[in-house]
Amino acid sequence: MSTQIVAVDIGGTHARFAIATIGDDGKITLGEPATLHTKDHGSFQLAWQAFRDMNGGTLPDAVAMSVAGPVGNEVIKFTNNPWILRPAKIEEMLGPTRQTIINDFAAVGYAVACADDADFLHLTGPDEPLPPSGTLSVLGPGTGLGVAHLYRDGKGGYHVQATEGGHTDYAPLDLIEDAILARLRKRHTRVSVERIVSGPGIVDIYATLAAMEHKAIYELTDVEIWTAAANGEDSLAVAAVDRFCLALGAAAGDCALAQGASGVVIAGGLGYRIRETIKTSGFAERFRAKGRFAGLMASLPVKLITHPQPGLFGAAAAFAREHLQ
């Protein structure tokens, strides 16, 4: 008998909801997702009620949630939006009698563990499937930079570990990145890698390049810069995105070294939108540029997960593992 649950993926900007059906064979099917802007709802409870209203006033009595921030505390505070969540109050306030709550990039790790080979796009390294054993580094830029890792034992077993790797120190590799860091240091005592390798990070990359070119620095939003680059309307925006891809490649390589990875997966909606730019940029060169370990880095397959909703899919997979196996 199949099980229906509410799958939720809460990031800094969006909260995504869907009804997920988990079959007896473990196969997960997602209904049509609903995407709500976090800024449009004063709390998670109000967003939940809005989704419930979209579904005729009733929802399944189980929930699987991926949240952008650390989990496990009595009160979960989101890293890049003002909502809070009290897991002990979920049944009382919302109704579900069973729940699974995991970090958003742990959810992506579960999605990587359960996705088919066809759900991955090759970026660099050996063009072969991800290895069935060992550690896979999983990271992706969005409102912040999510990082996790997935260990597979080669026999079908696996373990997903969420991390806060996006908050490690940023390491510039050339004079342009030195200038980006200098700009950020005027506002932040400590500059983490997600200040650059995230959607909003494009603003400081763009402004730094404009200053270096002695051009006026217009107050553009990150969305405006990404859009201008995608449309080819602004050569400075195109250059900023290329510089972003370099920084993403360097960050992905650092994660792989730190985690002892045998493969790497890039995730997130932003990564998917710029997937072709990643492939033609200096991402691969920066990924490999690890000095004495350049040969090791070149031996690692690097993929991009193309599943349209890895956070929702992964949250449902985590629920199935906790409650149905």
Side-chain angles (χ1 to χ4, degrees), residues 106-166:
V108 176
Y110 278 97
V112 170
C114 298
D116 297 327
D117 287 343
D119 289 324
F120 296 96
L121 173 71
H122 180 70
L123 294 179
T124 187
D127 190 358
E128 58 191 32
L130 293 165
S133 62
T135 297
L136 299 177
S137 293
V138 183
L139 71 155
T143 305
L145 176 64
V147 180
H149 55 86
L150 162 69
Y151 174 77
R152 301 200 280 196
D153 64 9
K155 302 175 183 177
Y158 65 90
H159 174 73
V160 175
Q161 178 63 55
T163 81
E164 292 299 332

Side-chain angles (χ1 to χ4, degrees), residues 9 14 59 74 82 145 158 175 182 199 201 212 248 253 257 278 287:
D9 179 24
H14 299 106
L59 291 173
E74 291 184 8
L145 176 64
Y158 65 90
L175 292 176
M212 295 180 74
L248 176 60
L257 280 177
I278 292 174
F287 178 82

Side-chain angles (χ1 to χ4, degrees), residues 124 249-250 252-253 256 264 282-290 297-298 300 302:
T124 187
V264 176
F283 171 93
E285 287 78 8
R286 276 294 184 87
F287 178 82
R288 295 192 297 266
K290 302 302 175 186
M297 303 307 291
L300 304 182
V302 182

